[in-house]
Amino acid sequence: MPKFKVVVWCDHCLNDAEGCFGGGTETIGSSFETWEDAQKAASEYCGHLPYGYRVEEDDEY
């Protein structure tokens, strides 16, 4: 059964080496058992911040 990860980035700092996440993306937390768990974590983490995110299958599992 696949696990999921959350990839986040800052829309304002994308491609700015001195910005959030070095201008790139970052994976938050660890792997999540379900897509819903990952989505909930992303919403809680990004809800009050100017971050975009996507939930992806974690290829490491």
Side-chain angles (χ1 to χ4, degrees):
M1 189 149 174
K3 293 192 177 193
F4 299 88
K5 64 182 178 182
V6 177
V7 179
V8 298
W9 62 89
C10 177
D11 289 325
H12 302 289
C13 298
L14 205 55
N15 299 318
D16 179 355
E18 295 182 15
C20 300
F21 312 117
T25 62
E26 188 72 33
T27 301
I28 63 167
S30 57
S31 291
F32 298 90
E33 295 294 323
T34 67
W35 185 92
E36 290 81 9
D37 289 343
Q39 181 67 31
K40 181 179 178 188
S43 294
E44 290 174 2
Y45 182 80
C46 298
H48 62 286
L49 299 169
Y51 295 159
Y53 67 88
R54 68 179 174 269
V55 175
E56 302 177 346
E57 279 194 30
D58 192 341
D59 295 335
E60 293 184 22
Y61 290 92

